Amino acid sequence: MYMTIIVTGGAGFIGSNFVFYMLKKYSNYRIVCMDKLTYAGNLSTLESIMDNKNFRFVKADICDRSAVYKLFEEEKPDIVVNFAAESHVDRSIDNPQIFLQTNIIGTATLMDACRKHGIKRYHQVSTDEVYGDLPLERPDLFFTEKTPLHTSSPYSSSKAGADLLVLSYYRTYGLPVTVSRCSNNYGPYHFPEKLIPLTIVNALNDKPLPVYGKGLNVRDWLYVEDHCKAIDLIIHKGKVGEIYNIGGHNEMRNIDIVKIICKELNKPESLITYVTDRKGHDMRYAIDPTKIHSELGWFPETKFEQGIKKTIKWYLDNHQWWENIISGEYKSYYEKKFNIK
Ligand code: NAD
Ligand code: TYD
């Protein structure tokens, strides 16, 4: 069956991986990427598919109602998958406003366009951070879809606000929505302000590897392609009005991740630099993926040991991609933030 899917935020990390995955898997789907190209969006990521006849790129802000409505008018999408967001917790602590704008108002604008034009599915890409954190001393606790929302940062609060809005559009207007809440992703095209790509890039440049606090915070890491596969399943087989948690039971401490990367790259652990902790820093995230396992048959396929090797190899093979980023606007942000030259 022919389908048109609007993918917002497709020039970012997970969105671009999703666009590649869908174009490869479905030769009869039209994929339209709408992206504002903020500091985190990178057109060079999409270079290889710009001439693909099944792909269109449109530079637009999801908060721009007339641009969004115009695109819906032109494309008449069957499905919308919303990845577009301000996504970095540290930036949300410095400047919450843009997070509220993009993550909440942008989501509402997209859903209003869906209501106006009719849609088979609106999918909201959310995060496990909406559940807040779990104590380190209770390894028996996990986030289920029924765990109350209990956010810590302006980022997670804006994502939780968007989730509530999405579910309200289902109940109030009958908009056919689904929501997925995934754990931390890693893989190719990950912007080098996040822990794993930052550590790889800095280690390659023999620069300090900043670890917040004592490095004991735990994240549940998932290879990005496994996330893309889960979203593909949800938009085709998931039940409307439902939330699906996505995660692979791969909890690791930050310090251990940084040490693994040092080992893989043959760099000394003396590069590790403990820096001031993040304000309100969540201790542990851990997903219970039982629902998506049992209802949709999704299981993660890439083990961390393979995934981190593939990721490191990608950064080694794609120097130009990240060198362009760290020499640009991001550089001054990064230098100011860590007081590192
Ligand atoms: P990212 O920051 O790498 O990419 C975000 C993309 O959205 C960029 O291309 C940016 O240009 C675009 N964008 C930002 N504001 C926009 C706007 N107003 N209009 C149009 N485009 C805009 O983020 P990511 O890591 O790929 O995350 C994608 C989604 O997945 C986000 O919604 C995030 O909350 C969610 N998520 C991320 C993770 C993770 O580990 N990275 C985990 C779970 C959920
Ligand atoms: P991050 O990649 O920003 O993802 P999130 O905050 O959404 O989980 O951070 C992952 C963890 O790594 C988090 O506990 C903060 C920590 N961290 C560092 O220790 N050093 C760093 O330089 C960064 C960016 C993050």
Side-chain angles (χ1 to χ4, degrees):
M1 193 181 43
Y2 182 83
M3 283 239 217
T4 296
I5 305 183
I6 290 184
V7 177
T8 67
F13 165 45
I14 311 176
S16 62
N17 278 282
F18 183 74
V19 167
F20 296 142
Y21 178 78
M22 296 300 278
L23 283 173
K24 198 164 162 202
K25 179 163 176 191
Y26 300 99
S27 58
N28 54 343
Y29 281 16
R30 178 170 170 76
I31 306 291
V32 179
C33 169
M34 185 199 316
D35 197 297
K36 184 183 174 184
L37 297 180
T38 66
Y39 79 94
N42 194 339
L43 255 197
S44 77
T45 299
L46 301 174
E47 210 178 307
S48 66
I49 53 166
M50 280 303 193
D51 293 333
N52 185 320
K53 64 176 178 17
N54 291 341
F55 179 71
R56 177 183 175 199
F57 177 81
V58 178
K59 182 171 187 239
D61 185 335
I62 59 166
C63 304
D64 180 345
R65 197 167 283 269
S66 62
V68 170
Y69 282 24
K70 181 168 169 280
L71 187 66
F72 274 64
E73 188 70 48
E74 287 168 10
E75 294 291 346
K76 304 194 171 24
D78 300 284
I79 296 177
V80 173
V81 184
N82 181 24
F83 290 93
E86 289 292 336
S87 69
H88 192 40
V89 173
D90 294 331
R91 288 183 187 250
S92 83
I93 294 168
D94 293 346
N95 177 18
Q97 196 64 36
I98 184 69
F99 284 73
L100 309 183
Q101 182 65 21
T102 288
N103 299 1
I104 301 179
I105 305 294
T107 296
T109 310
L110 285 172
M111 289 195 298
D112 286 342
C114 291
R115 286 178 57 215
K116 182 163 189 276
H117 291 276
I119 195 99
K120 292 197 181 84
R121 182 67 62 85
Y122 173 87
H123 182 72
Q124 178 72 2
V125 181
S126 187
T127 165
D128 61 356
E129 301 193 27
V130 298
Y131 299 121
D133 63 353
L134 297 164
L136 285 183
E137 60 280 9
R138 289 292 307 271
D140 56 315
L141 295 180
F142 297 92
F143 298 136
T144 74
E145 290 78 1
K146 294 198 165 63
T147 301
L149 303 188
H150 189 74
T151 56
S152 314
S153 70
Y155 163 67
S156 55
S157 303
S158 67
K159 293 295 288 185
D163 282 15
L164 294 175
L165 205 56
V166 171
L167 295 170
S168 79
Y169 271 56
Y170 169 64
R171 168 133 181 195
T172 305
Y173 306 116
L175 192 72
V177 307
T178 37
V179 175
S180 55
R181 294 179 178 153
C182 191
S183 60
N184 285 61
N185 285 211
Y186 68 100
Y189 300 107
H190 203 178
F191 194 85
E193 67 182 346
K194 305 281 171 73
L195 178 68
I196 288 185
L198 178 83
T199 304
I200 296 172
V201 163
N202 279 17
L204 286 173
N205 286 324
D206 298 307
K207 285 191 162 181
L209 309 176
V211 169
Y212 298 174
K214 296 195 171 89
L216 301 179
N217 306 65
V218 168
R219 298 291 182 264
D220 182 358
W221 294 95
L222 184 74
Y223 192 64
V224 62
E225 197 179 40
D226 280 323
H227 187 187
C228 297
K229 287 178 180 168
I231 294 174
D232 178 26
L233 265 179
I234 295 168
I235 60 179
H236 288 99
K237 302 208 172 100
K239 250 174 74 186
V240 297
E242 292 288 318
I243 299 163
Y244 295 90
N245 282 358
I246 309 171
H249 278 306
N250 184 55
E251 290 178 53
M252 297 181 72
R253 300 187 312 178
N254 296 339
I255 187 65
D256 297 327
I257 297 268
V258 174
K259 285 184 178 171
I260 288 172
I261 295 172
C262 287
K263 191 155 176 257
E264 288 291 331
L265 288 172
N266 205 16
K267 296 289 180 182
E269 287 184 9
S270 57
L271 287 175
I272 294 172
T273 307
Y274 291 93
V275 298
T276 310
D277 208 353
R278 174 184 281 171
K279 291 191 181 85
H281 198 171
D282 280 336
M283 277 322 294
R284 171 175 167 249
Y285 301 145
I287 285 275
D288 175 350
T290 306
K291 179 173 173 177
I292 192 164
H293 285 179
S294 58
E295 291 187 13
L296 302 182
W298 175 88
F299 288 91
E301 290 167 31
T302 301
K303 296 238 174 325
F304 188 78
E305 304 82 73
Q306 306 155 335
I308 195 69
K309 282 189 170 47
K310 280 209 279 196
T311 304
I312 291 173
K313 182 170 182 328
W314 187 87
Y315 281 84
L316 285 169
D317 293 345
N318 291 275
H319 265 258
Q320 199 62 55
W321 183 87
W322 54 264
E323 273 169 8
N324 286 347
I325 292 173
I326 57 175
S327 63
E329 187 262 337
Y330 171 66
K331 196 162 175 277
S332 56
Y333 160 80
Y334 174 81
E335 286 176 357
K336 202 168 121 213
K337 181 169 176 51
F338 295 118
N339 200 20
I340 290 171
K341 290 275 171 262

